[in-house]
Amino acid sequence: MLIKQRGHLFDLKIPKTLKVVYVWGKGLSLFANKKFREGDKIIYLKGKLVNAADSTPEAVQITDEKFIDTKYLVPEDFINHSCSPNTKLDVVKRWFFAIKDIPKKEEITFNYLTTEWDMKKWKTDFRCLCDSKNCFGYVKGFKYLTRAEKMELKPFLSPLLLEKIS
C-alpha cells in the first residue's frame, strides 16, 4: 500500500492479519483482518531508540527523553488511541497484545496514556474522538491524570509510567 505523508512516499507492508482503512474524522486506521483472541500478538513495534527531539508524532515513549521511532511509516503507526482499547503495548517485548477478543473488521486501538508521560510537552496532545463511556476527553499524557485514573491504568502501563507512580 502506497502512502504519501510529509512529502515522502511510503510502501507499507501490511501483514495479512491486518488492514489499513480510512475512517472519517481519524484518517487511516489499522483494522483486524481476522479474529484475534485475548492474549494474541497483534503486531510488532518496529523502530529504534531515538532522542525525543528527533522523534515523530507516531513515536512511542520509552524513557523521559527516548522514544521508539522509525524514519518511515509502518502499519503500527496507524493504531489509533482509544480510552477503551482492545490492545496493550508491551514496550519491553515491543508487541501489541489483544487485551480482549477482537473480531474481524474491528479497529485495533491502544490507550496512548499507558505509554506517554507528557504529550503537551511534545505538542502531541489532542481531543479524543473515541466516544467510549470512560473517555478522557482530552489526551495530554499520563502526567495529567488523577491518582485514581492512573491506578486504573496500572495493569497496562509501560515501565516508565509504572516507575512514575511508585
Side-chain angles (χ1 to χ4, degrees), residues 7 19 23 26 33 36 52 61 63 78 88-89 99-100 107-108 113 136 148-149 155 161:
K19 63 183 174 178
V23 176
K26 289 184 176 183
N33 204 24
F36 290 97
Q61 189 169 16
T63 71
F78 299 99
K88 70 174 183 174
L89 174 58
I99 57 174
K100 56 186 168 187
E107 184 177 6
I108 304 296
L113 295 169
F136 289 98
E149 290 169 332
L161 300 185

Side-chain angles (χ1 to χ4, degrees), residues 16-161:
K16 290 180 181 182
T17 58
L18 301 166
K19 63 183 174 178
V20 174
V21 175
Y22 178 81
V23 176
W24 188 85
K26 289 184 176 183
L28 294 174
S29 305
L30 198 63
F31 277 75
N33 204 24
K34 69 165 236 161
K35 180 179 180 174
F36 290 97
R37 299 217 180 275
E38 182 178 346
D40 283 352
K41 289 180 178 178
I42 307 295
I43 192 166
Y44 183 77
L45 177 64
K46 295 176 202 75
K48 64 179 183 173
L49 215 52
V50 299
N51 292 323
D54 299 322
S55 67
T56 66
E58 294 85 19
V60 174
Q61 189 169 16
I62 301 302
T63 71
D64 284 325
E65 295 295 325
K66 297 282 185 182
F67 288 72
I68 293 176
D69 203 1
T70 64
K71 292 183 180 184
Y72 47 89
L73 288 178
V74 291
E76 57 272 23
D77 288 336
F78 299 99
I79 299 176
N80 288 320
H81 167 81
S82 175
C83 297
S84 296
N86 54 22
T87 72
K88 70 174 183 174
L89 174 58
D90 182 327
V91 297
V92 175
K93 294 179 181 174
R94 293 178 63 166
W95 276 95
F96 287 88
F97 288 91
I99 57 174
K100 56 186 168 187
D101 289 348
I102 303 171
K104 185 176 181 176
K105 298 184 181 180
E106 184 172 304
E107 184 177 6
I108 304 296
T109 59
F110 95 101
N111 189 334
Y112 294 4
L113 295 169
T114 62
T115 60
E116 309 304 307
W117 174 245
D118 189 353
M119 296 171 74
K120 281 181 73 171
K121 177 180 179 179
W122 308 113
K123 296 178 176 49
T124 56
D125 52 321
F126 60 93
R127 188 173 76 76
C128 185
L129 301 172
C130 79
D131 290 328
S132 70
K133 287 185 275 184
N134 61 333
C135 183
F136 289 98
Y138 196 81
V139 178
K140 300 179 278 188
F142 188 76
K143 171 183 178 177
Y144 300 95
L145 300 178
T146 66
R147 177 84 177 150
E149 290 169 332
K150 289 176 181 174
M151 296 314 289
E152 192 171 315
L153 292 175
K154 190 174 179 180
F156 310 106
L157 296 180
S158 68
L160 170 67
L161 300 185

